[in-house]
Amino acid sequence: MNINTPIKQVTAVPSPVNAEESVSQEPLIQEAGIEYAELWRVIRGVLVVWAVAVWLLLVMMPGMQQIIDIGSAMLHLPHMFIGLGLVGAIFASYSLRSDAHLLWFLGVLLLIAGWM
């Protein structure tokens, strides 16, 4: 059985940061040259284009190919319309700059695309 024993000697690790030098993090971020707000605007646009491509390629086209009669239409059309509604919601959240809703709608659309 292992018994916890207290350490008898205090160990100190020297810090590479000097406490007297207060260096702000802002110059380091500005030197990197990455503007995350600009990058996120581009990523948001790419995500919207990706969502439309996912709906077209993984939901609408297979759904249209599988419809051969009224029974199969009743089976596949609701998923196609749900996906179309999600694409509309993605466009609405993109234009309203609602990023959390945009990501949620993208996730649900991907689940429906995987199900199709």
Side-chain angles (χ1 to χ4, degrees), residues 24-43:
S24 155
Q25 293 295 326
E26 292 177 15
L28 295 176
I29 294 172
Q30 290 175 356
E31 288 176 9
I34 298 174
E35 301 224 3
Y36 291 103
E38 185 71 28
L39 182 65
W40 179 241
R41 286 197 314 203
V42 172
I43 290 174

Side-chain angles (χ1 to χ4, degrees), residues 3-5 19 34 41-42 45 53 71 112:
I3 299 174
N4 293 335
T5 58
I34 298 174
R41 286 197 314 203
V42 172
I112 289 177

Side-chain angles (χ1 to χ4, degrees), residues 40 47 50-51 82 85-87 89-90 93-94 98-112:
W40 179 241
L47 287 175
W50 175 79
I82 289 170
L86 285 169
V87 168
I90 288 168
S93 61
Y94 176 79
S98 177
D99 295 332
H101 289 88
L102 174 73
L103 295 175
W104 190 86
F105 291 136
L106 282 170
V108 174
L109 180 66
L110 185 60
L111 287 173
I112 289 177

